[in-house]
PDB file of all heavy atoms in Angstrom:
ATOM      1  N   ILE A   7     -57.380  21.147  16.052  1.00  0.00           N
ATOM      2  CA  ILE A   7     -57.577  19.696  15.933  1.00  0.00           C
ATOM      3  C   ILE A   7     -58.919  19.294  16.537  1.00  0.00           C
ATOM      4  O   ILE A   7     -59.659  18.512  15.955  1.00  0.00           O
ATOM      5  CB  ILE A   7     -56.409  18.924  16.586  1.00  0.00           C
ATOM      6  CG1 ILE A   7     -55.141  19.128  15.750  1.00  0.00           C
ATOM      7  CG2 ILE A   7     -56.732  17.441  16.722  1.00  0.00           C
ATOM      8  CD1 ILE A   7     -53.883  18.618  16.391  1.00  0.00           C
ATOM      9  N   GLU A   8     -59.252  19.856  17.688  1.00  0.00           N
ATOM     10  CA  GLU A   8     -60.531  19.534  18.329  1.00  0.00           C
ATOM     11  C   GLU A   8     -61.710  20.003  17.475  1.00  0.00           C
ATOM     12  O   GLU A   8     -62.709  19.300  17.331  1.00  0.00           O
ATOM     13  CB  GLU A   8     -60.606  20.145  19.724  1.00  0.00           C
ATOM     14  CG  GLU A   8     -61.809  19.708  20.509  1.00  0.00           C
ATOM     15  CD  GLU A   8     -61.942  18.198  20.651  1.00  0.00           C
ATOM     16  OE1 GLU A   8     -60.922  17.494  20.782  1.00  0.00           O
ATOM     17  OE2 GLU A   8     -63.089  17.702  20.619  1.00  0.00           O
ATOM     18  N   GLN A   9     -61.596  21.162  16.883  1.00  0.00           N
ATOM     19  CA  GLN A   9     -62.652  21.677  16.009  1.00  0.00           C
ATOM     20  C   GLN A   9     -62.822  20.774  14.785  1.00  0.00           C
ATOM     21  O   GLN A   9     -63.944  20.458  14.389  1.00  0.00           O
ATOM     22  CB  GLN A   9     -62.316  23.104  15.581  1.00  0.00           C
ATOM     23  CG  GLN A   9     -63.410  23.774  14.785  1.00  0.00           C
ATOM     24  CD  GLN A   9     -63.041  25.221  14.451  1.00  0.00           C
ATOM     25  OE1 GLN A   9     -61.919  25.665  14.636  1.00  0.00           O
ATOM     26  NE2 GLN A   9     -64.013  25.953  13.942  1.00  0.00           N
ATOM     27  N   ALA A  10     -61.727  20.369  14.197  1.00  0.00           N
ATOM     28  CA  ALA A  10     -61.784  19.471  13.040  1.00  0.00           C
ATOM     29  C   ALA A  10     -62.386  18.131  13.435  1.00  0.00           C
ATOM     30  O   ALA A  10     -63.202  17.562  12.700  1.00  0.00           O
ATOM     31  CB  ALA A  10     -60.387  19.270  12.456  1.00  0.00           C
ATOM     32  N   ARG A  11     -62.004  17.608  14.589  1.00  0.00           N
ATOM     33  CA  ARG A  11     -62.527  16.337  15.085  1.00  0.00           C
ATOM     34  C   ARG A  11     -64.054  16.391  15.206  1.00  0.00           C
ATOM     35  O   ARG A  11     -64.759  15.495  14.767  1.00  0.00           O
ATOM     36  CB  ARG A  11     -61.891  16.005  16.434  1.00  0.00           C
ATOM     37  CG  ARG A  11     -62.317  14.668  17.012  1.00  0.00           C
ATOM     38  CD  ARG A  11     -61.617  14.370  18.329  1.00  0.00           C
ATOM     39  NE  ARG A  11     -60.225  14.041  18.070  1.00  0.00           N
ATOM     40  CZ  ARG A  11     -59.179  14.677  18.617  1.00  0.00           C
ATOM     41  NH1 ARG A  11     -59.364  15.675  19.450  1.00  0.00           N
ATOM     42  NH2 ARG A  11     -57.950  14.309  18.331  1.00  0.00           N
ATOM     43  N   LYS A  12     -64.557  17.468  15.785  1.00  0.00           N
ATOM     44  CA  LYS A  12     -66.005  17.610  15.960  1.00  0.00           C
ATOM     45  C   LYS A  12     -66.716  17.739  14.613  1.00  0.00           C
ATOM     46  O   LYS A  12     -67.740  17.111  14.378  1.00  0.00           O
ATOM     47  CB  LYS A  12     -66.313  18.817  16.831  1.00  0.00           C
ATOM     48  CG  LYS A  12     -65.991  18.606  18.285  1.00  0.00           C
ATOM     49  CD  LYS A  12     -66.289  19.865  19.080  1.00  0.00           C
ATOM     50  CE  LYS A  12     -65.895  19.694  20.536  1.00  0.00           C
ATOM     51  NZ  LYS A  12     -66.097  20.933  21.296  1.00  0.00           N
ATOM     52  N   CYS A  13     -66.174  18.552  13.744  1.00  0.00           N
ATOM     53  CA  CYS A  13     -66.791  18.802  12.439  1.00  0.00           C
ATOM     54  C   CYS A  13     -66.834  17.533  11.598  1.00  0.00           C
ATOM     55  O   CYS A  13     -67.892  17.127  11.118  1.00  0.00           O
ATOM     56  CB  CYS A  13     -66.026  19.893  11.708  1.00  0.00           C
ATOM     57  SG  CYS A  13     -66.616  20.195  10.031  1.00  0.00           S
ATOM     58  N   PHE A  14     -65.700  16.894  11.409  1.00  0.00           N
ATOM     59  CA  PHE A  14     -65.638  15.716  10.557  1.00  0.00           C
ATOM     60  C   PHE A  14     -66.302  14.511  11.188  1.00  0.00           C
ATOM     61  O   PHE A  14     -66.853  13.663  10.499  1.00  0.00           O
ATOM     62  CB  PHE A  14     -64.191  15.388  10.174  1.00  0.00           C
ATOM     63  CG  PHE A  14     -63.600  16.372   9.222  1.00  0.00           C
ATOM     64  CD1 PHE A  14     -62.513  17.140   9.584  1.00  0.00           C
ATOM     65  CD2 PHE A  14     -64.133  16.533   7.961  1.00  0.00           C
ATOM     66  CE1 PHE A  14     -61.973  18.060   8.700  1.00  0.00           C
ATOM     67  CE2 PHE A  14     -63.596  17.449   7.062  1.00  0.00           C
ATOM     68  CZ  PHE A  14     -62.513  18.209   7.439  1.00  0.00           C
ATOM     69  N   GLY A  15     -66.246  14.423  12.513  1.00  0.00           N
ATOM     70  CA  GLY A  15     -66.829  13.279  13.199  1.00  0.00           C
ATOM     71  C   GLY A  15     -68.310  13.116  12.935  1.00  0.00           C
ATOM     72  O   GLY A  15     -68.828  12.002  12.871  1.00  0.00           O
ATOM     73  N   SER A  16     -69.005  14.212  12.751  1.00  0.00           N
ATOM     74  CA  SER A  16     -70.435  14.131  12.507  1.00  0.00           C
ATOM     75  C   SER A  16     -70.768  14.095  11.017  1.00  0.00           C
ATOM     76  O   SER A  16     -71.919  13.896  10.639  1.00  0.00           O
ATOM     77  CB  SER A  16     -71.142  15.330  13.146  1.00  0.00           C
ATOM     78  OG  SER A  16     -70.696  16.533  12.555  1.00  0.00           O
ATOM     79  N   TYR A  17     -69.788  14.250  10.167  1.00  0.00           N
ATOM     80  CA  TYR A  17     -70.030  14.415   8.731  1.00  0.00           C
ATOM     81  C   TYR A  17     -69.520  13.265   7.873  1.00  0.00           C
ATOM     82  O   TYR A  17     -70.103  12.948   6.846  1.00  0.00           O
ATOM     83  CB  TYR A  17     -69.382  15.733   8.289  1.00  0.00           C
ATOM     84  CG  TYR A  17     -69.636  16.120   6.861  1.00  0.00           C
ATOM     85  CD1 TYR A  17     -70.911  16.445   6.413  1.00  0.00           C
ATOM     86  CD2 TYR A  17     -68.593  16.159   5.946  1.00  0.00           C
ATOM     87  CE1 TYR A  17     -71.141  16.805   5.095  1.00  0.00           C
ATOM     88  CE2 TYR A  17     -68.815  16.518   4.631  1.00  0.00           C
ATOM     89  CZ  TYR A  17     -70.089  16.843   4.209  1.00  0.00           C
ATOM     90  OH  TYR A  17     -70.320  17.190   2.902  1.00  0.00           O
ATOM     91  N   VAL A  18     -68.452  12.611   8.298  1.00  0.00           N
ATOM     92  CA  VAL A  18     -67.737  11.676   7.431  1.00  0.00           C
ATOM     93  C   VAL A  18     -68.567  10.471   6.984  1.00  0.00           C
ATOM     94  O   VAL A  18     -68.415  10.011   5.865  1.00  0.00           O
ATOM     95  CB  VAL A  18     -66.422  11.223   8.096  1.00  0.00           C
ATOM     96  CG1 VAL A  18     -65.766  10.103   7.349  1.00  0.00           C
ATOM     97  CG2 VAL A  18     -65.472  12.403   8.188  1.00  0.00           C
ATOM     98  N   HIS A  19     -69.450   9.962   7.813  1.00  0.00           N
ATOM     99  CA  HIS A  19     -70.254   8.808   7.405  1.00  0.00           C
ATOM    100  C   HIS A  19     -71.655   9.212   6.948  1.00  0.00           C
ATOM    101  O   HIS A  19     -72.533   8.373   6.827  1.00  0.00           O
ATOM    102  CB  HIS A  19     -70.331   7.768   8.529  1.00  0.00           C
ATOM    103  CG  HIS A  19     -69.099   6.912   8.607  1.00  0.00           C
ATOM    104  ND1 HIS A  19     -68.800   5.960   7.662  1.00  0.00           N
ATOM    105  CD2 HIS A  19     -68.083   6.887   9.488  1.00  0.00           C
ATOM    106  CE1 HIS A  19     -67.665   5.383   7.974  1.00  0.00           C
ATOM    107  NE2 HIS A  19     -67.208   5.926   9.074  1.00  0.00           N
ATOM    108  N   SER A  20     -71.835  10.501   6.665  1.00  0.00           N
ATOM    109  CA  SER A  20     -73.132  10.960   6.159  1.00  0.00           C
ATOM    110  C   SER A  20     -73.275  10.582   4.686  1.00  0.00           C
ATOM    111  O   SER A  20     -72.291  10.356   3.973  1.00  0.00           O
ATOM    112  CB  SER A  20     -73.257  12.479   6.304  1.00  0.00           C
ATOM    113  OG  SER A  20     -72.387  13.138   5.402  1.00  0.00           O
ATOM    114  N   ASN A  21     -74.492  10.510   4.203  1.00  0.00           N
ATOM    115  CA  ASN A  21     -74.736  10.183   2.797  1.00  0.00           C
ATOM    116  C   ASN A  21     -74.127  11.220   1.864  1.00  0.00           C
ATOM    117  O   ASN A  21     -73.630  10.892   0.793  1.00  0.00           O
ATOM    118  CB  ASN A  21     -76.236  10.042   2.534  1.00  0.00           C
ATOM    119  CG  ASN A  21     -76.788   8.766   3.126  1.00  0.00           C
ATOM    120  OD1 ASN A  21     -76.067   7.783   3.287  1.00  0.00           O
ATOM    121  ND2 ASN A  21     -78.057   8.772   3.466  1.00  0.00           N
ATOM    122  N   LYS A  22     -74.179  12.498   2.257  1.00  0.00           N
ATOM    123  CA  LYS A  22     -73.610  13.565   1.426  1.00  0.00           C
ATOM    124  C   LYS A  22     -72.108  13.362   1.237  1.00  0.00           C
ATOM    125  O   LYS A  22     -71.592  13.452   0.123  1.00  0.00           O
ATOM    126  CB  LYS A  22     -73.887  14.921   2.061  1.00  0.00           C
ATOM    127  CG  LYS A  22     -73.434  16.088   1.224  1.00  0.00           C
ATOM    128  CD  LYS A  22     -73.829  17.410   1.861  1.00  0.00           C
ATOM    129  CE  LYS A  22     -73.396  18.578   0.995  1.00  0.00           C
ATOM    130  NZ  LYS A  22     -73.784  19.861   1.566  1.00  0.00           N
ATOM    131  N   TYR A  23     -71.399  13.066   2.317  1.00  0.00           N
ATOM    132  CA  TYR A  23     -69.950  12.856   2.246  1.00  0.00           C
ATOM    133  C   TYR A  23     -69.634  11.595   1.438  1.00  0.00           C
ATOM    134  O   TYR A  23     -68.722  11.581   0.623  1.00  0.00           O
ATOM    135  CB  TYR A  23     -69.366  12.757   3.653  1.00  0.00           C
ATOM    136  CG  TYR A  23     -67.862  12.784   3.705  1.00  0.00           C
ATOM    137  CD1 TYR A  23     -67.176  13.991   3.703  1.00  0.00           C
ATOM    138  CD2 TYR A  23     -67.116  11.612   3.775  1.00  0.00           C
ATOM    139  CE1 TYR A  23     -65.793  14.021   3.772  1.00  0.00           C
ATOM    140  CE2 TYR A  23     -65.743  11.638   3.839  1.00  0.00           C
ATOM    141  CZ  TYR A  23     -65.091  12.844   3.832  1.00  0.00           C
ATOM    142  OH  TYR A  23     -63.717  12.873   3.890  1.00  0.00           O
ATOM    143  N   LYS A  24     -70.404  10.529   1.668  1.00  0.00           N
ATOM    144  CA  LYS A  24     -70.182   9.289   0.924  1.00  0.00           C
ATOM    145  C   LYS A  24     -70.386   9.511  -0.574  1.00  0.00           C
ATOM    146  O   LYS A  24     -69.669   8.947  -1.394  1.00  0.00           O
ATOM    147  CB  LYS A  24     -71.114   8.197   1.433  1.00  0.00           C
ATOM    148  CG  LYS A  24     -70.719   7.668   2.785  1.00  0.00           C
ATOM    149  CD  LYS A  24     -71.709   6.633   3.277  1.00  0.00           C
ATOM    150  CE  LYS A  24     -71.353   6.196   4.684  1.00  0.00           C
ATOM    151  NZ  LYS A  24     -72.302   5.229   5.224  1.00  0.00           N
ATOM    152  N   GLY A  54     -60.470   9.322   7.183  1.00  0.00           N
ATOM    153  CA  GLY A  54     -61.904   9.625   7.149  1.00  0.00           C
ATOM    154  C   GLY A  54     -62.725   8.357   7.123  1.00  0.00           C
ATOM    155  O   GLY A  54     -62.524   7.461   7.941  1.00  0.00           O
ATOM    156  N   ASN A  55     -63.613   8.247   6.147  1.00  0.00           N
ATOM    157  CA  ASN A  55     -64.454   7.049   6.066  1.00  0.00           C
ATOM    158  C   ASN A  55     -63.722   5.857   5.443  1.00  0.00           C
ATOM    159  O   ASN A  55     -64.309   4.809   5.253  1.00  0.00           O
ATOM    160  CB  ASN A  55     -65.753   7.345   5.312  1.00  0.00           C
ATOM    161  CG  ASN A  55     -65.544   7.708   3.864  1.00  0.00           C
ATOM    162  OD1 ASN A  55     -64.439   7.690   3.352  1.00  0.00           O
ATOM    163  ND2 ASN A  55     -66.622   8.059   3.187  1.00  0.00           N
ATOM    164  N   ASP A  75     -56.999   8.470  11.728  1.00  0.00           N
ATOM    165  CA  ASP A  75     -57.731   9.724  11.668  1.00  0.00           C
ATOM    166  C   ASP A  75     -57.935  10.230  13.095  1.00  0.00           C
ATOM    167  O   ASP A  75     -57.826   9.465  14.048  1.00  0.00           O
ATOM    168  CB  ASP A  75     -59.089   9.520  10.984  1.00  0.00           C
ATOM    169  CG  ASP A  75     -59.641  10.812  10.397  1.00  0.00           C
ATOM    170  OD1 ASP A  75     -60.072  11.685  11.172  1.00  0.00           O
ATOM    171  OD2 ASP A  75     -59.627  10.939   9.170  1.00  0.00           O
ATOM    172  N   ILE A  76     -58.258  11.518  13.212  1.00  0.00           N
ATOM    173  CA  ILE A  76     -58.452  12.127  14.531  1.00  0.00           C
ATOM    174  C   ILE A  76     -59.871  11.941  15.061  1.00  0.00           C
ATOM    175  O   ILE A  76     -60.144  12.245  16.206  1.00  0.00           O
ATOM    176  CB  ILE A  76     -58.106  13.633  14.518  1.00  0.00           C
ATOM    177  CG1 ILE A  76     -58.998  14.392  13.533  1.00  0.00           C
ATOM    178  CG2 ILE A  76     -56.631  13.836  14.224  1.00  0.00           C
ATOM    179  CD1 ILE A  76     -58.832  15.912  13.577  1.00  0.00           C
ATOM    180  N   THR A  77     -60.768  11.444  14.237  1.00  0.00           N
ATOM    181  CA  THR A  77     -62.169  11.313  14.636  1.00  0.00           C
ATOM    182  C   THR A  77     -62.462   9.882  15.086  1.00  0.00           C
ATOM    183  O   THR A  77     -62.609   8.980  14.264  1.00  0.00           O
ATOM    184  CB  THR A  77     -63.113  11.706  13.490  1.00  0.00           C
ATOM    185  OG1 THR A  77     -62.748  10.992  12.321  1.00  0.00           O
ATOM    186  CG2 THR A  77     -63.013  13.201  13.207  1.00  0.00           C
ATOM    187  N   GLY A  78     -62.539   9.705  16.394  1.00  0.00           N
ATOM    188  CA  GLY A  78     -62.712   8.377  16.971  1.00  0.00           C
ATOM    189  C   GLY A  78     -63.977   7.672  16.544  1.00  0.00           C
ATOM    190  O   GLY A  78     -63.968   6.469  16.257  1.00  0.00           O
ATOM    191  N   ASN A  79     -65.110   8.394  16.474  1.00  0.00           N
ATOM    192  CA  ASN A  79     -66.353   7.722  16.094  1.00  0.00           C
ATOM    193  C   ASN A  79     -66.303   7.236  14.650  1.00  0.00           C
ATOM    194  O   ASN A  79     -66.887   6.207  14.317  1.00  0.00           O
ATOM    195  CB  ASN A  79     -67.570   8.626  16.332  1.00  0.00           C
ATOM    196  CG  ASN A  79     -67.557   9.884  15.491  1.00  0.00           C
ATOM    197  OD1 ASN A  79     -66.508  10.478  15.261  1.00  0.00           O
ATOM    198  ND2 ASN A  79     -68.718  10.308  15.033  1.00  0.00           N
ATOM    199  N   VAL A  80     -65.605   7.936  13.796  1.00  0.00           N
ATOM    200  CA  VAL A  80     -65.449   7.513  12.400  1.00  0.00           C
ATOM    201  C   VAL A  80     -64.603   6.243  12.340  1.00  0.00           C
ATOM    202  O   VAL A  80     -64.953   5.283  11.645  1.00  0.00           O
ATOM    203  CB  VAL A  80     -64.810   8.640  11.557  1.00  0.00           C
ATOM    204  CG1 VAL A  80     -64.465   8.160  10.171  1.00  0.00           C
ATOM    205  CG2 VAL A  80     -65.742   9.836  11.500  1.00  0.00           C
ATOM    206  N   ILE A  81     -63.531   6.226  13.082  1.00  0.00           N
ATOM    207  CA  ILE A  81     -62.656   5.052  13.112  1.00  0.00           C
ATOM    208  C   ILE A  81     -63.402   3.857  13.694  1.00  0.00           C
ATOM    209  O   ILE A  81     -63.281   2.740  13.192  1.00  0.00           O
ATOM    210  CB  ILE A  81     -61.366   5.359  13.907  1.00  0.00           C
ATOM    211  CG1 ILE A  81     -60.528   6.417  13.174  1.00  0.00           C
ATOM    212  CG2 ILE A  81     -60.553   4.093  14.157  1.00  0.00           C
ATOM    213  CD1 ILE A  81     -60.107   6.052  11.768  1.00  0.00           C
ATOM    214  N   GLU A  83     -66.577   3.227  13.494  1.00  0.00           N
ATOM    215  CA  GLU A  83     -67.478   2.718  12.453  1.00  0.00           C
ATOM    216  C   GLU A  83     -66.697   2.005  11.354  1.00  0.00           C
ATOM    217  O   GLU A  83     -67.126   0.968  10.857  1.00  0.00           O
ATOM    218  CB  GLU A  83     -68.328   3.842  11.860  1.00  0.00           C
ATOM    219  CG  GLU A  83     -69.412   3.294  10.954  1.00  0.00           C
ATOM    220  CD  GLU A  83     -70.491   4.311  10.607  1.00  0.00           C
ATOM    221  OE1 GLU A  83     -70.643   5.314  11.323  1.00  0.00           O
ATOM    222  OE2 GLU A  83     -71.181   4.081   9.601  1.00  0.00           O
TER     223      GLU A  83
END
Side-chain angles (χ1 to χ4, degrees):
I7 291 170
E8 188 56 36
Q9 186 177 11
R11 183 178 287 124
K12 287 178 183 176
C13 175
F14 289 117
S16 63
Y17 185 66
V18 171
H19 280 289
S20 70
N21 287 333
K22 185 176 181 179
Y23 190 84
K24 287 177 184 178
N55 65 4
D75 203 288
I76 60 173
T77 52
N79 63 323
V80 172
I81 294 302
E83 189 166 340

